[in-house]
Amino acid sequence: MHINFNGREIQLVFGLRTLTEIDRELGFEIEGASLGEGLEMLIPKLQSGNIVALSKIVKAATSHDKKSPGTFEELEEVLDGIAEVQGFDSFGEQIIEELGKRPMTRSLLPDDLQEEKEEKKENLETV
């Protein structure tokens, strides 16, 4: 999965580094103490197309690239492109699909999404 930024395609990577960043960015802070727990909020935020969460996810998932979007203005440019081409809900669903492909991130999907993915796989195999 890729995003377009400054005329380049940048791959979104959902490895341990990205997941740690997302957990921190989408997590909670109570009385100055960061509690993380952002991964538990990841799927609902993707399903709802939450723009702020999507910007944090894009930033974390592209941080491996030295020319990735890092400022609010750059992330805004990327999000405008996503909104015009496919919409935030569709983009969120694509990220969920990507997460379901990797053994490390598959467990983040709720049971109903995992079952739906398995049904689609079974239907494709029987065709």
Side-chain angles (χ1 to χ4, degrees), residues 52-94:
V52 173
L54 287 175
S55 72
K56 292 177 180 185
I57 293 164
V58 166
K59 185 175 181 180
T62 60
S63 64
H64 62 89
D65 190 298
K66 291 181 181 182
K67 296 182 180 178
S68 66
T71 67
F72 286 119
E73 292 79 15
E74 291 171 338
L75 288 165
E76 207 171 292
E77 179 184 327
V78 170
L79 291 172
D80 281 344
I82 292 168
E84 289 175 4
V85 173
Q86 65 198 56
F88 296 127
D89 291 340
S90 176
F91 184 70
E93 291 300 320
Q94 286 180 1

Side-chain angles (χ1 to χ4, degrees), residues 4-126:
N4 290 314
F5 176 63
N6 283 342
R8 300 177 50 234
E9 282 195 349
I10 299 176
Q11 182 178 4
L12 297 177
V13 175
F14 295 99
L16 185 58
R17 177 181 178 175
T18 301
L19 296 175
T20 302
E21 182 71 16
I22 289 170
D23 194 52
R24 186 173 49 81
E25 286 293 322
L26 298 182
F28 300 99
E29 191 169 306
I30 298 175
E31 296 181 21
S34 178
L35 301 179
E37 301 299 321
L39 288 178
E40 285 72 16
M41 302 302 297
L42 178 60
I43 300 300
K45 289 191 181 290
L46 288 169
Q47 289 174 322
S48 69
N50 182 294
I51 298 166
V52 173
L54 287 175
S55 72
K56 292 177 180 185
I57 293 164
V58 166
K59 185 175 181 180
T62 60
S63 64
H64 62 89
D65 190 298
K66 291 181 181 182
K67 296 182 180 178
S68 66
T71 67
F72 286 119
E73 292 79 15
E74 291 171 338
L75 288 165
E76 207 171 292
E77 179 184 327
V78 170
L79 291 172
D80 281 344
I82 292 168
E84 289 175 4
V85 173
Q86 65 198 56
F88 296 127
D89 291 340
S90 176
F91 184 70
E93 291 300 320
Q94 286 180 1
I95 293 175
I96 291 170
E97 189 174 317
E98 285 296 314
L99 293 172
K101 291 178 183 177
R102 297 203 53 206
M104 183 173 68
T105 55
R106 193 173 298 134
S107 64
L108 297 173
L109 277 61
D111 292 339
D112 60 330
L113 289 177
Q114 288 181 23
E115 290 171 10
E116 183 180 313
K117 184 171 174 44
E118 287 298 318
E119 287 175 15
K120 285 181 183 177
K121 183 178 176 183
E122 290 172 8
N123 289 340
L124 287 174
E125 289 174 353
T126 59

